[in-house]
Amino acid sequence: MQQLKKVFTLFALLFLVIASIPIQASASSTLQTDLVDGLVTKSDRLTFDLFAKDAYGNKIEASEIEVLNNNQVVAINWDDKEKTSYTLNLELGINNISISHQSAKLNYQITREHANDGDVIGHFVFSLDAFTIGQGYLIEPIEVPIIKGRNAAQELDEILRNYRFSYKSTGTVESGFYLATIHGDQLFQKPVVVPDVLKMSLNGVYDETLYSEETGLGEFDINFMSGWMYSVNNVFPNVGFSDKYPLDGDVKR
């Protein structure tokens, strides 16, 4: 019993010693963007995403990060729990972009070449699909010219009209554009079927009959959280179509 008491006392003292050692959080942070260093473009606007995390993997507040273009502060476009988006107003010639948080820093050099509004300054790949409800492609992948001065909402508007779709939206193609519903004879050519993997994620909260061919396909159909989303190069932007500007080589879905 005496030996056991000694062991217990030693353990308790060891615990107190360990508990008294201060734990210092690492000051390191990680910054990652989808910008490309050395990019040459004729676009005068460029939206990019910043993923910033502290040493523990938590998102760093956007207010703690400095983003500069040629030493001028770049305003936040949109901020969420995963990433922060910024839109660069590119100057003709060299644009030196710096992003910093404490000791972490990223530097990019982007060159803007001259082009007039209306000029074709590149191409992107576009597709429209409803695979999540078994409808497949509504517009198979196509190559679309990028017109300087036009944003993604203006491009979307023209593509949908060219493929005989109509739509309802809020905002305008110039600002605050949100795609609510798409209408067209091409819709619902196949039975509505939610894939099994999605059914599991929805935990049974869906209804494959909850839609109307007359009102088209859009928000709240099948599931109360459904709606049209878009991705660019397999990333879902947190800005609307009217705040996104296509770059040459983009894949927009």
Side-chain angles (χ1 to χ4, degrees), residues 13-56:
L13 288 172
L14 182 60
F15 176 80
L16 288 173
V17 171
I18 293 174
S20 68
I21 299 174
I23 300 175
Q24 296 183 351
S26 171
S28 64
S29 54
T30 59
L31 306 175
Q32 182 180 359
T33 79
D34 53 357
L35 287 172
V36 177
D37 187 35
L39 175 70
V40 178
T41 180
K42 293 182 179 180
S43 178
D44 53 4
R45 303 193 75 186
L46 191 162
T47 301
F48 72 93
D49 296 323
L50 169 64
F51 300 83
K53 295 183 178 181
D54 62 20
Y56 302 104

Short mmCIF file of all heavy atoms in Angstrom, two decimals, residues 13-56:
data_model
loop_
_atom_site.label_atom_id
_atom_site.label_comp_id
_atom_site.label_asym_id
_atom_site.label_seq_id
_atom_site.Cartn_x
_atom_site.Cartn_y
_atom_site.Cartn_z
N LEU A 13 2.65 14.44 -9.09
CA LEU A 13 3.67 15.48 -9.27
C LEU A 13 4.06 15.63 -10.74
O LEU A 13 4.23 16.73 -11.25
CB LEU A 13 4.91 15.13 -8.44
CG LEU A 13 4.76 15.28 -6.91
CD1 LEU A 13 5.99 14.72 -6.20
CD2 LEU A 13 4.52 16.73 -6.53
N LEU A 14 4.19 14.48 -11.42
CA LEU A 14 4.53 14.51 -12.85
C LEU A 14 3.44 15.21 -13.64
O LEU A 14 3.71 16.01 -14.54
CB LEU A 14 4.73 13.08 -13.36
CG LEU A 14 5.12 12.93 -14.84
CD1 LEU A 14 6.45 13.65 -15.10
CD2 LEU A 14 5.22 11.46 -15.22
N PHE A 15 2.15 14.93 -13.28
CA PHE A 15 1.02 15.59 -13.96
C PHE A 15 1.06 17.10 -13.76
O PHE A 15 0.84 17.87 -14.67
CB PHE A 15 -0.29 15.02 -13.44
CG PHE A 15 -1.51 15.70 -14.01
CD1 PHE A 15 -1.98 15.38 -15.27
CD2 PHE A 15 -2.15 16.70 -13.29
CE1 PHE A 15 -3.09 16.02 -15.80
CE2 PHE A 15 -3.26 17.34 -13.81
CZ PHE A 15 -3.72 17.01 -15.07
N LEU A 16 1.39 17.51 -12.52
CA LEU A 16 1.45 18.95 -12.23
C LEU A 16 2.56 19.62 -13.01
O LEU A 16 2.42 20.75 -13.50
CB LEU A 16 1.65 19.16 -10.72
CG LEU A 16 0.44 18.85 -9.82
CD1 LEU A 16 0.84 18.95 -8.36
CD2 LEU A 16 -0.70 19.82 -10.13
N VAL A 17 3.69 18.93 -13.13
CA VAL A 17 4.81 19.49 -13.89
C VAL A 17 4.43 19.66 -15.36
O VAL A 17 4.66 20.70 -15.98
CB VAL A 17 6.06 18.59 -13.76
CG1 VAL A 17 7.14 19.03 -14.73
CG2 VAL A 17 6.58 18.64 -12.33
N ILE A 18 3.81 18.61 -15.93
CA ILE A 18 3.40 18.67 -17.34
C ILE A 18 2.36 19.75 -17.54
O ILE A 18 2.41 20.52 -18.50
CB ILE A 18 2.85 17.30 -17.79
CG1 ILE A 18 3.98 16.27 -17.79
CG2 ILE A 18 2.21 17.40 -19.17
CD1 ILE A 18 3.52 14.85 -18.10
N ALA A 19 1.39 19.84 -16.60
CA ALA A 19 0.32 20.82 -16.74
C ALA A 19 0.83 22.25 -16.64
O ALA A 19 0.22 23.18 -17.16
CB ALA A 19 -0.75 20.57 -15.69
N SER A 20 1.98 22.41 -15.95
CA SER A 20 2.51 23.77 -15.76
C SER A 20 3.31 24.25 -16.95
O SER A 20 3.67 25.42 -17.02
CB SER A 20 3.38 23.80 -14.51
OG SER A 20 4.55 23.04 -14.70
N ILE A 21 3.62 23.35 -17.90
CA ILE A 21 4.39 23.75 -19.08
C ILE A 21 3.48 24.50 -20.03
O ILE A 21 2.45 23.98 -20.47
CB ILE A 21 4.98 22.51 -19.79
CG1 ILE A 21 5.93 21.77 -18.85
CG2 ILE A 21 5.69 22.92 -21.07
CD1 ILE A 21 6.46 20.47 -19.42
N PRO A 22 3.79 25.75 -20.37
CA PRO A 22 2.92 26.52 -21.27
C PRO A 22 2.92 25.92 -22.67
O PRO A 22 3.96 25.49 -23.17
CB PRO A 22 3.55 27.91 -21.25
CG PRO A 22 4.97 27.69 -20.89
CD PRO A 22 4.99 26.50 -19.96
N ILE A 23 1.73 25.88 -23.27
CA ILE A 23 1.60 25.41 -24.65
C ILE A 23 1.55 26.62 -25.55
O ILE A 23 0.66 27.47 -25.45
CB ILE A 23 0.32 24.57 -24.84
CG1 ILE A 23 0.37 23.35 -23.90
CG2 ILE A 23 0.15 24.12 -26.27
CD1 ILE A 23 -0.90 22.52 -23.91
N GLN A 24 2.50 26.73 -26.47
CA GLN A 24 2.58 27.88 -27.35
C GLN A 24 1.99 27.52 -28.72
O GLN A 24 2.40 26.53 -29.32
CB GLN A 24 4.03 28.33 -27.51
CG GLN A 24 4.64 28.83 -26.21
CD GLN A 24 6.05 29.33 -26.42
OE1 GLN A 24 6.63 29.14 -27.49
NE2 GLN A 24 6.60 29.98 -25.41
N ALA A 25 1.04 28.33 -29.15
CA ALA A 25 0.45 28.11 -30.48
C ALA A 25 1.42 28.57 -31.54
O ALA A 25 2.06 29.60 -31.40
CB ALA A 25 -0.86 28.88 -30.60
N SER A 26 1.55 27.78 -32.56
CA SER A 26 2.42 28.17 -33.66
C SER A 26 1.84 29.37 -34.38
O SER A 26 0.64 29.50 -34.56
CB SER A 26 2.57 27.00 -34.64
OG SER A 26 3.24 27.41 -35.82
N ALA A 27 2.74 30.28 -34.76
CA ALA A 27 2.29 31.49 -35.46
C ALA A 27 2.15 31.25 -36.95
O ALA A 27 1.80 32.17 -37.69
CB ALA A 27 3.28 32.62 -35.20
N SER A 28 2.47 30.04 -37.41
CA SER A 28 2.45 29.77 -38.85
C SER A 28 1.03 29.74 -39.38
O SER A 28 0.09 29.36 -38.69
CB SER A 28 3.14 28.44 -39.14
OG SER A 28 2.43 27.38 -38.55
N SER A 29 0.85 30.18 -40.60
CA SER A 29 -0.44 30.13 -41.28
C SER A 29 -0.19 29.74 -42.73
O SER A 29 0.93 29.88 -43.24
CB SER A 29 -1.16 31.48 -41.20
OG SER A 29 -0.33 32.52 -41.67
N THR A 30 -1.23 29.23 -43.37
CA THR A 30 -1.10 28.83 -44.77
C THR A 30 -2.06 29.64 -45.63
O THR A 30 -3.22 29.85 -45.25
CB THR A 30 -1.39 27.33 -44.95
OG1 THR A 30 -2.71 27.05 -44.49
CG2 THR A 30 -0.39 26.50 -44.17
N LEU A 31 -1.58 30.08 -46.76
CA LEU A 31 -2.36 30.85 -47.72
C LEU A 31 -2.34 30.13 -49.05
O LEU A 31 -1.29 29.69 -49.51
CB LEU A 31 -1.78 32.27 -47.88
CG LEU A 31 -1.59 33.10 -46.61
CD1 LEU A 31 -0.89 34.41 -46.95
CD2 LEU A 31 -2.92 33.37 -45.94
N GLN A 32 -3.50 30.03 -49.66
CA GLN A 32 -3.59 29.37 -50.97
C GLN A 32 -4.63 30.08 -51.82
O GLN A 32 -5.70 30.46 -51.32
CB GLN A 32 -3.97 27.90 -50.80
CG GLN A 32 -4.03 27.11 -52.10
CD GLN A 32 -4.41 25.66 -51.87
OE1 GLN A 32 -4.59 25.23 -50.73
NE2 GLN A 32 -4.53 24.90 -52.95
N THR A 33 -4.34 30.28 -53.09
CA THR A 33 -5.28 30.93 -54.01
C THR A 33 -5.34 30.15 -55.31
O THR A 33 -4.58 29.21 -55.53
CB THR A 33 -4.85 32.38 -54.34
OG1 THR A 33 -3.80 32.35 -55.32
CG2 THR A 33 -4.37 33.13 -53.11
N ASP A 34 -6.26 30.57 -56.18
CA ASP A 34 -6.32 30.00 -57.52
C ASP A 34 -5.71 30.95 -58.55
O ASP A 34 -5.93 30.80 -59.76
CB ASP A 34 -7.75 29.63 -57.91
CG ASP A 34 -8.73 30.78 -57.75
OD1 ASP A 34 -8.33 31.86 -57.30
OD2 ASP A 34 -9.92 30.60 -58.08
N LEU A 35 -4.95 31.94 -58.09
CA LEU A 35 -4.22 32.82 -59.00
C LEU A 35 -3.05 32.07 -59.63
O LEU A 35 -2.50 31.13 -59.04
CB LEU A 35 -3.70 34.05 -58.27
CG LEU A 35 -4.72 35.12 -57.87
CD1 LEU A 35 -4.06 36.17 -56.99
CD2 LEU A 35 -5.35 35.76 -59.10
N VAL A 36 -2.65 32.51 -60.81
CA VAL A 36 -1.53 31.90 -61.52
C VAL A 36 -0.44 32.96 -61.69
O VAL A 36 -0.67 33.99 -62.35
CB VAL A 36 -1.95 31.34 -62.88
CG1 VAL A 36 -0.75 30.78 -63.62
CG2 VAL A 36 -3.03 30.27 -62.70
N ASP A 37 0.71 32.73 -61.09
CA ASP A 37 1.81 33.67 -61.24
C ASP A 37 2.30 33.69 -62.69
O ASP A 37 2.45 32.65 -63.31
CB ASP A 37 2.96 33.28 -60.30
CG ASP A 37 4.07 34.31 -60.28
OD1 ASP A 37 3.76 35.52 -60.38
OD2 ASP A 37 5.25 33.92 -60.15
N GLY A 38 2.52 34.88 -63.21
CA GLY A 38 2.98 35.01 -64.59
C GLY A 38 1.86 35.04 -65.61
O GLY A 38 2.12 35.08 -66.82
N LEU A 39 0.61 35.04 -65.15
CA LEU A 39 -0.53 35.05 -66.06
C LEU A 39 -0.51 36.30 -66.93
O LEU A 39 -0.24 37.41 -66.46
CB LEU A 39 -1.83 35.02 -65.26
CG LEU A 39 -3.14 35.16 -66.06
CD1 LEU A 39 -3.39 33.92 -66.91
CD2 LEU A 39 -4.32 35.43 -65.13
N VAL A 40 -0.78 36.11 -68.22
CA VAL A 40 -0.95 37.22 -69.16
C VAL A 40 -2.39 37.18 -69.66
O VAL A 40 -2.84 36.14 -70.15
CB VAL A 40 0.04 37.12 -70.34
CG1 VAL A 40 -0.20 38.26 -71.32
CG2 VAL A 40 1.48 37.13 -69.84
N THR A 41 -3.12 38.27 -69.50
CA THR A 41 -4.53 38.28 -69.87
C THR A 41 -4.91 39.61 -70.48
O THR A 41 -4.24 40.64 -70.23
CB THR A 41 -5.41 38.01 -68.63
OG1 THR A 41 -6.78 38.03 -69.01
CG2 THR A 41 -5.18 39.06 -67.55
N LYS A 42 -5.96 39.62 -71.26
CA LYS A 42 -6.50 40.86 -71.82
C LYS A 42 -7.74 41.31 -71.06
O LYS A 42 -8.33 42.33 -71.40
CB LYS A 42 -6.83 40.66 -73.30
CG LYS A 42 -5.58 40.44 -74.16
CD LYS A 42 -5.93 40.29 -75.63
CE LYS A 42 -4.65 40.10 -76.45
NZ LYS A 42 -4.94 39.93 -77.90
N SER A 43 -8.12 40.55 -70.04
CA SER A 43 -9.25 40.93 -69.21
C SER A 43 -8.84 42.02 -68.24
O SER A 43 -7.70 42.03 -67.75
CB SER A 43 -9.77 39.72 -68.45
OG SER A 43 -10.83 40.07 -67.60
N ASP A 44 -9.75 42.95 -67.96
CA ASP A 44 -9.42 44.02 -67.02
C ASP A 44 -9.92 43.73 -65.61
O ASP A 44 -9.66 44.49 -64.69
CB ASP A 44 -9.96 45.37 -67.50
CG ASP A 44 -11.45 45.33 -67.80
OD1 ASP A 44 -12.07 44.28 -67.57
OD2 ASP A 44 -11.99 46.36 -68.26
N ARG A 45 -10.64 42.61 -65.43
CA ARG A 45 -11.11 42.22 -64.11
C ARG A 45 -10.87 40.74 -63.90
O ARG A 45 -11.02 39.93 -64.83
CB ARG A 45 -12.59 42.55 -63.93
CG ARG A 45 -12.94 44.01 -64.16
CD ARG A 45 -14.32 44.35 -63.67
NE ARG A 45 -14.36 44.45 -62.22
CZ ARG A 45 -15.48 44.61 -61.52
NH1 ARG A 45 -16.66 44.65 -62.14
NH2 ARG A 45 -15.45 44.71 -60.21
N LEU A 46 -10.51 40.37 -62.67
CA LEU A 46 -10.20 38.99 -62.37
C LEU A 46 -10.62 38.70 -60.93
O LEU A 46 -10.17 39.35 -60.00
CB LEU A 46 -8.69 38.75 -62.55
CG LEU A 46 -8.17 37.31 -62.53
CD1 LEU A 46 -6.78 37.26 -63.15
CD2 LEU A 46 -8.12 36.72 -61.13
N THR A 47 -11.52 37.73 -60.78
CA THR A 47 -11.98 37.33 -59.45
C THR A 47 -11.21 36.08 -59.02
O THR A 47 -11.07 35.13 -59.79
CB THR A 47 -13.48 37.03 -59.45
OG1 THR A 47 -14.19 38.19 -59.87
CG2 THR A 47 -13.97 36.63 -58.06
N PHE A 48 -10.70 36.09 -57.78
CA PHE A 48 -9.97 34.92 -57.29
C PHE A 48 -10.40 34.59 -55.87
O PHE A 48 -10.97 35.42 -55.15
CB PHE A 48 -8.45 35.13 -57.36
CG PHE A 48 -7.91 36.09 -56.34
CD1 PHE A 48 -7.43 35.65 -55.11
CD2 PHE A 48 -7.85 37.45 -56.61
CE1 PHE A 48 -6.92 36.52 -54.18
CE2 PHE A 48 -7.33 38.34 -55.68
CZ PHE A 48 -6.87 37.88 -54.46
N ASP A 49 -10.13 33.34 -55.46
CA ASP A 49 -10.47 32.85 -54.13
C ASP A 49 -9.21 32.70 -53.30
O ASP A 49 -8.16 32.26 -53.80
CB ASP A 49 -11.17 31.49 -54.21
CG ASP A 49 -12.51 31.58 -54.92
OD1 ASP A 49 -13.21 32.60 -54.73
OD2 ASP A 49 -12.87 30.64 -55.65
N LEU A 50 -9.32 33.04 -52.03
CA LEU A 50 -8.24 32.87 -51.07
C LEU A 50 -8.67 31.91 -49.98
O LEU A 50 -9.71 32.10 -49.34
CB LEU A 50 -7.85 34.22 -50.45
CG LEU A 50 -6.91 34.17 -49.25
CD1 LEU A 50 -5.54 33.62 -49.66
CD2 LEU A 50 -6.76 35.55 -48.62
N PHE A 51 -7.87 30.86 -49.77
CA PHE A 51 -8.08 29.91 -48.68
C PHE A 51 -6.97 30.16 -47.66
O PHE A 51 -5.79 29.90 -47.94
CB PHE A 51 -8.01 28.47 -49.19
CG PHE A 51 -9.04 28.15 -50.23
CD1 PHE A 51 -8.83 28.46 -51.57
CD2 PHE A 51 -10.23 27.52 -49.88
CE1 PHE A 51 -9.78 28.16 -52.54
CE2 PHE A 51 -11.18 27.22 -50.84
CZ PHE A 51 -10.97 27.54 -52.17
N ALA A 52 -7.33 30.69 -46.50
CA ALA A 52 -6.35 31.04 -45.47
C ALA A 52 -6.68 30.29 -44.18
O ALA A 52 -7.79 30.38 -43.66
CB ALA A 52 -6.37 32.55 -45.22
N LYS A 53 -5.68 29.55 -43.66
CA LYS A 53 -5.89 28.77 -42.44
C LYS A 53 -4.75 29.00 -41.46
O LYS A 53 -3.60 29.22 -41.87
CB LYS A 53 -5.99 27.28 -42.79
CG LYS A 53 -7.21 26.93 -43.63
CD LYS A 53 -7.31 25.44 -43.88
CE LYS A 53 -8.55 25.09 -44.68
NZ LYS A 53 -8.68 23.62 -44.91
N ASP A 54 -5.10 28.93 -40.17
CA ASP A 54 -4.07 29.05 -39.16
C ASP A 54 -3.41 27.69 -38.92
O ASP A 54 -3.69 26.72 -39.64
CB ASP A 54 -4.64 29.63 -37.86
CG ASP A 54 -5.71 28.74 -37.22
OD1 ASP A 54 -5.77 27.53 -37.54
OD2 ASP A 54 -6.50 29.26 -36.41
N ALA A 55 -2.53 27.62 -37.92
CA ALA A 55 -1.77 26.40 -37.69
C ALA A 55 -2.64 25.22 -37.31
O ALA A 55 -2.22 24.06 -37.42
CB ALA A 55 -0.74 26.65 -36.59
N TYR A 56 -3.89 25.50 -36.87
CA TYR A 56 -4.79 24.43 -36.45
C TYR A 56 -5.83 24.10 -37.51
O TYR A 56 -6.76 23.33 -37.25
CB TYR A 56 -5.49 24.83 -35.15
CG TYR A 56 -4.51 25.12 -34.03
CD1 TYR A 56 -4.24 26.43 -33.66
CD2 TYR A 56 -3.84 24.09 -33.37
CE1 TYR A 56 -3.32 26.70 -32.65
CE2 TYR A 56 -2.93 24.35 -32.36
CZ TYR A 56 -2.67 25.66 -32.00
OH TYR A 56 -1.77 25.93 -31.01
#
